[in-house]
Amino acid sequence: MLGACHGNADAWEAIVDRHLAMVNRIARSYRLPRQDHEDAVQTVWLRLNQNLPRLHSPHLLAVWLRRATNTACNRQRQHRQRFLPVDPQDLIGYAHHQADPEDQYLLQERYAELHRAIDGLTDPVDRRVARLYLDDSPDAGPISHRTTSNQRRHLFRQLRRSLRATGEPSERRA
């Protein structure tokens, strides 16, 4: 091991020859695709090369290699699960579904204007109903269970009046 630390190629080859079968056996047990298996094994040898000067106990080299192989294979498996291959043909329509920044800005402006209109409602019950109606959190029940049809109709009238009153003069005429 000391010879490999000092750049002796024969000592490095002896380490690899002695432990290659174990590293391959552990990597094969993860049943990774061939490319991922090879990447994991190559990563183990690279890490050994980088950390060899820090290893002071040659008798623990096999233990270190087992742990490094398990870690590399687990990372390859996680990486493979996180990044699934996608057919490029499936991505053709994807770009059209993303809103451009201008659309996002206008949507945020509308959302802010609606909330200003809700805050401008004078009746606290109307404000509560409006917030219940707009509540889209996962734990909120269906809208029909949170408000009655009369409450919704009254709310829409109030909000229309409020939004017309806060709109630009040109918008009021339209």
Side-chain angles (χ1 to χ4, degrees):
M1 194 161 105
L2 285 174
C5 287
H6 296 301
N8 185 342
D10 293 333
W12 175 256
E13 287 179 23
I15 291 173
V16 172
D17 289 342
R18 187 176 316 125
H19 298 286
L20 181 62
M22 176 193 63
V23 170
N24 276 325
R25 185 177 60 249
I26 294 170
R28 273 194 310 273
S29 72
Y30 281 84
R31 299 188 189 280
L32 296 169
R34 184 180 55 81
Q35 297 89 351
D36 291 344
H37 170 270
E38 290 172 359
D39 285 347
V41 171
Q42 190 174 27
T43 300
V44 169
W45 295 120
L46 176 66
R47 292 269 154 55
L48 177 61
N49 191 11
Q50 292 170 341
N51 292 303
L52 197 57
R54 294 186 203 127
L55 298 177
H56 299 292
S57 304
H59 64 282
L60 295 177
L61 180 61
V63 174
W64 188 93
L65 284 170
R66 279 189 204 105
R67 189 182 70 230
T69 306
N70 285 321
T71 300
C73 290
N74 278 325
R75 284 189 180 153
Q76 282 297 122
R77 180 184 285 166
Q78 289 170 356
H79 179 76
R80 185 162 190 77
Q81 289 172 349
R82 216 179 356 211
F83 299 108
L84 296 173
V86 176
D87 184 12
Q89 293 298 322
D90 294 342
L91 298 176
I92 289 173
Y94 180 72
H96 300 293
H97 294 295
Q98 292 182 350
D100 61 54
E102 184 178 350
D103 289 341
Q104 289 177 346
Y105 176 77
L106 291 174
L107 185 64
Q108 289 173 349
E109 282 294 312
R110 258 183 281 157
Y111 186 77
E113 186 177 352
L114 179 62
H115 278 276
R116 280 192 300 273
I118 290 172
D119 292 339
L121 294 173
T122 55
D123 187 8
V125 174
D126 287 343
R127 283 195 302 268
R128 182 185 61 81
V129 170
R131 288 192 177 99
L132 279 173
Y133 187 76
L134 293 175
D135 184 13
D136 61 352
S137 61
D139 57 335
I143 291 170
S144 61
H145 294 225
R146 292 181 276 161
T147 60
T148 65
S149 60
N150 286 339
Q151 286 175 322
R152 288 191 297 272
R153 198 173 312 118
H154 177 72
L155 170 68
F156 288 141
R157 279 191 214 122
Q158 293 292 327
L159 285 174
R160 274 191 214 107
R161 282 186 210 127
S162 178
L163 288 171
R164 270 191 230 121
T166 60
E168 296 294 322
S170 62
E171 291 177 3
R172 284 189 213 143
R173 279 186 246 126

